[in-house]
Amino acid sequence: MDKRELIDWLKEEYSQFQALLDEIGPARMELPGVAAHWTMKDIVAHLSGWHPTLIGPMQAALHGEPKPRPPWPAHLQTDDEINAWIYERNREQPLSEILAETHQQIQQLLAILEALPDDARIETVHHGGKDFYLVWIGEERFLAGEFFDHFHDDHEPDIRAWLAKTEAA
């Protein structure tokens, strides 16, 4: 895969994600029960809450700067602790701000990829019947589709099941 194909793939993934959000619609974005007590807004905030751990280091590597610290307090170590922090930080945020943050992050990622040389090293790794795309910046590699990979693997099945249930009700 080359740089242009990766950018096109990410744009298509985002378009599909947006289509799902549009299907859910603003009226259902804050209904609980999508995944345990989480709403769709909570899931989007969760995905966006982790995205700086990709974007920040990629930007730093691109500019030859030190890797930034994650946005959560340093004493938080486990995924569950970090997820709880992300949830608490975002649960009172308006839906429009959560969606705007996600959009901004995707645009940042696309801008980083656009800034790469045309011959940037991008590897396709096949694992578990899926393709993953690793972008090399210097000696560091980054999972460019991490946002969408996590979404598809860990959240989309629950969302689709919840959506089917709410539409049947």
Side-chain angles (χ1 to χ4, degrees), residues 145-164:
E146 186 172 12
F147 180 98
F148 297 110
D149 295 335
H150 178 64
F151 166 71
H152 291 308
D153 291 346
D154 298 323
H155 298 291
E156 188 174 20
D158 290 338
I159 294 165
R160 297 251 181 229
W162 170 81
L163 188 56

Side-chain angles (χ1 to χ4, degrees), residues 11-23:
K11 286 179 178 179
E12 179 59 26
E13 284 289 316
Y14 185 55
S15 176
Q16 291 175 20
F17 182 73
Q18 281 299 128
L20 177 61
L21 296 180
D22 291 344
E23 182 181 348

Side-chain angles (χ1 to χ4, degrees), residues 31-127:
L31 295 176
V34 180
H37 69 281
W38 279 15
T39 66
M40 188 62 205
K41 179 187 117 175
D42 296 331
I43 292 172
V44 174
H46 159 75
L47 293 166
S48 293
W50 282 94
H51 216 199
T53 62
L54 172 67
I55 295 170
M58 282 184 84
Q59 284 176 328
L62 189 62
H63 300 296
E65 298 170 352
K67 184 178 175 178
R69 287 190 23 74
W72 45 81
H75 70 277
L76 301 178
Q77 298 297 311
T78 69
D79 288 353
D80 287 344
E81 291 171 334
I82 295 164
N83 287 336
W85 179 85
I86 291 169
Y87 174 80
E88 288 301 322
R89 179 178 155 252
N90 289 292
R91 69 186 180 104
E92 299 299 324
Q93 295 280 34
L95 173 62
S96 61
E97 288 180 20
I98 300 293
L99 296 176
E101 179 180 34
T102 300
H103 178 77
Q104 178 186 23
Q105 289 174 341
I106 298 298
Q107 297 312 307
Q108 287 175 312
L109 178 58
L110 290 169
I112 291 166
L113 296 175
E114 289 284 357
L116 294 174
D118 288 338
D119 63 349
R121 182 176 164 197
I122 300 169
E123 291 179 28
T124 302
V125 176
H126 308 285
H127 181 72

